[in-house]
Amino acid sequence: MSPALLLSAAVSSTGAGDGGFAQIMGLVIGGILINNYVLSRFLGICPFLGVSKQLDSAIGMGAAVVFVMAMTGAACWALWELVLIPMHLEYLSTIVFILIIAALVQLVEMILLKYSPALYKALGIYLPLITTNCAVLGVAVLNKDAGYNLAMSVINAVSGALGFGLALILMAGLRMRMEYSDIPLALRGKPITFILAGLMSIAFLGFAGLGV
Amino acid sequence: MSRWKDLTNGFYTENPIFRITLGMCPFLALSTSVQNAVGMGSAATFVLIWSNVAISALRNFIPDKIRIPCYIVFIATFVSLVDMVMAAFMPPLHKALGIYIPLIVVNCIILGRAEAFANKNTVMSSFLDGIGMGVGFTLAMLLMASIREILGNGTWYGINILGHAYTSQPVLLAILPPGAFILMGFVLGVFAIIDRRKERAA
């Protein structure tokens, strides 16, 4: 495909609005607050519960997910529009997306190891775990179903990842405080964490009133 | 006897949801109604059984270093199958489950069983383990969906059981996202109490 065609495909939207300012703001506010990936769409619950014990690791995980999801949004868009649709291989989308995500995570890991060992060390085990974060595959499928163009796909992915990071960091702060509180014996550990997430989710439900 | 244990392990003692808390995303998102729970449960069970069988049958041929990508390709293949069959024969259910069908690929239960069980055991044991874990997951979804649908909508499997007076003003929170988290917390709490009673009795 020639560069000019590629460019026009990247900026033209395929049936999902005009991509104007209002729609972009809607995606950003919607992704971070109204349809928060963790608290209202239930994507990425496992890392949300697993990595929210310490504030430092929550921030590292959030940053890594933003990075990987932005790249996933772009790579999966390109694959879907430029390879799978022209070759009529739409039914392979799930398999191809998950392989691309696994490869991307591996790539990010290698690049970080080479150029920024400090950040690589800080992220540690969380990097390979991003492959099985359902928010990442989720955003690829959501973008495909909505038919966003390249720019909208990346914006949607980044705002979703920021929402994930926000929920993760808020949760880590709450859980660090909870260490000092007196919790009923039966609810210690996982149960109280779920209830806490539920209360946060009620708070986020309030953003639905923004109605973007 | 060990065959029987392979099968029943997933029902209660190693229930994927309540014991190991894996596969939370579809569990919390689709326990809004019993219909969705049955649909999701059977789709995940199908994928679990056949990915377990395929992986344990090929466990001596898959190179150790690239086993995880291999497992993911197997799982993704079965998920695509389920996706296409559902879209063709059960369009309303396919629409209700939506994005969570492709997301079965990243359901930790399936990859977890492949890594922890299927690559070490025979085909028969893995088949039974797949059934057991799938049924355990489905039972957990049914329990949660029953609580949420009855509280939040006054119905069970679409049948009105609490009467019109309740359904006109149900506890809507139960079927909204926060209800899933909060009720899950209390159900886990009940399981913790049962465990403590058992320990004390023993």
Side-chain angles (χ1 to χ4, degrees), chain B residues 20-188:
Chain B
I20 334 184
T21 35
L22 287 180
M24 279 296 123
C25 306
F27 173 75
L28 293 174
L30 292 173
S31 53
T32 45
S33 79
V34 178
Q35 279 112 320
N36 286 353
V38 172
M40 187 67 214
S42 34
T45 306
F46 175 86
V47 176
L48 249 172
I49 294 174
W50 296 114
S51 67
N52 256 8
V53 167
I55 287 162
S56 83
L58 295 171
R59 68 186 185 281
N60 295 326
F61 301 100
I62 299 174
D64 209 40
K65 275 189 182 155
I66 53 158
R67 64 182 192 288
I68 302 281
C70 293
Y71 298 165
I72 290 180
V73 173
F74 281 132
I75 297 168
T77 310
F78 288 115
V79 170
S80 303
L81 266 179
V82 170
D83 196 5
M84 284 187 267
V85 169
M86 267 197 181
F89 296 105
M90 291 167 268
L93 185 66
H94 184 258
K95 211 173 164 218
L97 301 188
I99 175 181
Y100 295 98
I101 301 176
L103 287 185
I104 299 176
V105 178
V106 279
N107 189 325
C108 335
I109 300 172
I110 297 171
L111 198 58
R113 287 328 280 177
E115 177 71 4
F117 196 92
N119 75 348
K120 297 187 193 77
N121 288 283
T122 61
V123 175
M124 192 61 201
S125 299
S126 306
F127 177 71
L128 292 175
D129 182 74
I131 297 182
M133 287 291 154
V135 170
F137 176 72
T138 312
L139 285 179
M141 281 212 74
L142 273 180
L143 172 70
M144 192 65 175
S146 304
I147 300 175
R148 286 181 73 189
E149 198 185 335
I150 290 172
L151 277 181
N153 205 20
T155 58
W156 192 84
Y157 210 85
I159 304 158
N160 192 337
I161 56 166
L162 287 183
H164 181 68
Y166 187 85
T167 47
S168 59
Q169 248 178 341
V171 186
L172 203 56
L173 188 72
I175 50 171
L176 289 176
F181 285 115
I182 294 174
L183 288 171
M184 181 65 186
F186 283 118
V187 171
L188 282 178

Side-chain angles (χ1 to χ4, degrees), chain A residues 38-46 94-95 98-99 131-132 134 137-138 142 185-186 190-191 194-195 197-198 201-202 205, chain B residues 21 24-25 28-29 72-73 76-77 80 99-100 102-103 105-106 108 176-178 180-182 184-186 188-189 192-193 196:
Chain A
V38 177
L39 296 169
S40 96
R41 277 187 182 143
F42 302 110
L43 297 174
I45 302 283
C46 297
T94 310
I95 301 175
I98 188 74
L99 286 179
T131 309
T132 50
C134 36
L137 182 59
L142 283 173
L185 208 55
K190 275 176 199 156
F194 274 102
I195 294 174
S201 178
I202 294 182
L205 210 58
Chain B
T21 35
M24 279 296 123
C25 306
L28 293 174
I72 290 180
V73 173
T77 310
S80 303
I99 175 181
Y100 295 98
L103 287 185
V105 178
V106 279
C108 335
L176 289 176
F181 285 115
I182 294 174
M184 181 65 186
F186 283 118
L188 282 178
I193 293 175
R196 247 207 346 270

